[in-house]
Amino acid sequence: MSRSACLDRFRDSAPLVLPSMLLCDFGNLHREVRLLEEAGVEGLHLDVMDGHFVPNLTYGMTIVRAVRRLTDLPLDVHLMISNPADYLTSFREAGADVITIHAETVADPRPLLREIRQLDAVSGLAIDILTPISRITDYLDDCDLVLAMSVATGFGGQEFDRGALDKMRSLRETGGNDLLLQVDGGVNRTTVTSCAEAGADLLVVGSAIFRQSDYGSAVDELQTLARTV
């Protein structure tokens, strides 16, 4: 999918719930993707962790490529890795439509954000829960998306940190309405409305979908709550 098509899809449908594949059943990946498509999701979020920038180790291009073969949905790839510059092209070729790097991993993210756009992908910049938005203000013109982490980066299933709400409000004011705001970590039926009220366009959800017996009902409930604002 082209950068412009992906941006239009997300902007036109926001706020959107994006399932985080970190908690899916990888032994039944085809079934999981099919169930999520049937649930009506508009994209899939894939967390890539290297065991270095973050203590956890997940998956890489092989899984992104496998998911791409199973669906035409936009793939939102969140790179929690120490050397993102080495892998941007590879992840785009594997099927990533959105590529998000962490501000904490590079002194100057601007060249990488521009490279992501040159690859015709959506350029994303993430900040950890302890990183102030002042760290990225100068780079917002090169961002299509900013991801505000609402838990400590690296593990799923953590409790939501409400400090992320203030960050999103400030980012919306600073970045304008065209900037896609994403929140990741602890988003569930009790926090999703607050996230949408704070300006989140893309709501990354893990356990509140994958630990439910019916993905469709879970997605519908979360999506309805997000759109009550």
Side-chain angles (χ1 to χ4, degrees):
M1 183 178 292
S2 69
R3 169 177 171 262
S4 60
C6 188
L7 285 172
D8 288 345
R9 182 168 183 162
F10 283 167
R11 285 170 177 158
D12 290 346
S13 304
L16 284 175
V17 169
L18 297 183
S20 172
M21 301 301 286
L22 188 63
L23 293 181
C24 82
D25 180 358
F26 285 101
N28 292 284
L29 187 58
H30 185 278
R31 185 198 67 181
E32 295 282 69
V33 171
R34 177 176 53 80
L35 290 173
L36 292 168
E37 287 181 328
E38 291 173 354
V41 302
E42 292 284 346
L44 302 175
H45 183 88
L46 292 100
D47 289 308
V48 176
M49 306 183 197
D50 63 358
H52 185 262
F53 171 60
V54 293
N56 200 10
L57 183 65
T58 57
Y59 47 74
M61 285 165 283
T62 301
I63 292 295
V64 174
R65 192 175 294 112
V67 176
R68 169 50 66 220
R69 288 197 296 265
L70 295 173
T71 185
D72 292 326
L73 288 172
L75 300 186
D76 169 28
V77 177
H78 177 193
L79 298 182
M80 289 176 266
I81 61 177
S82 293
N83 301 300
D86 295 341
Y87 302 101
L88 299 180
T89 298
S90 297
F91 274 104
R92 178 57 170 151
E93 291 175 347
D97 299 296
V98 181
I99 300 176
T100 297
I101 62 171
H102 263 267
E104 300 86 4
T105 64
V106 288
D108 180 3
R110 194 183 306 279
L112 278 70
L113 294 167
R114 292 181 176 179
E115 181 179 349
I116 293 169
R117 284 181 170 177
Q118 288 168 1
L119 293 168
D120 201 25
V122 173
S123 64
L125 188 59
I127 52 173
D128 198 5
I129 193 69
L130 297 179
T131 302
I133 62 170
S134 58
R135 171 70 177 82
I136 63 170
T137 303
D138 290 343
Y139 310 113
L140 292 182
D141 287 347
D142 290 294
C143 295
D144 298 313
L145 176 153
V146 170
L147 166 54
M149 293 298 299
S150 44
V151 296
T153 305
F155 290 95
Q158 299 180 65
E159 185 175 346
F160 184 83
D161 188 320
R162 299 189 68 84
L165 300 175
D166 290 333
K167 281 187 179 178
M168 285 188 287
R169 293 186 189 100
S170 296
L171 284 164
R172 176 57 71 212
E173 182 177 350
T174 305
N177 290 329
D178 286 340
L179 181 68
L180 285 172
L181 291 184
Q182 185 174 72
V183 61
D184 184 359
V187 180
N188 53 42
R189 62 174 60 88
T190 63
T191 59
V192 67
T193 302
S194 296
C195 290
E197 288 174 341
D201 301 299
L202 304 174
L203 305 129
V204 178
V205 179
S207 20
I209 293 174
F210 289 103
R211 290 182 181 159
Q212 310 306 311
S213 58
D214 185 332
Y215 294 175
S217 295
V219 170
D220 285 346
E221 181 184 12
L222 291 162
Q223 198 67 76
T224 299
L225 288 168
R227 290 175 175 168
T228 58
V229 299

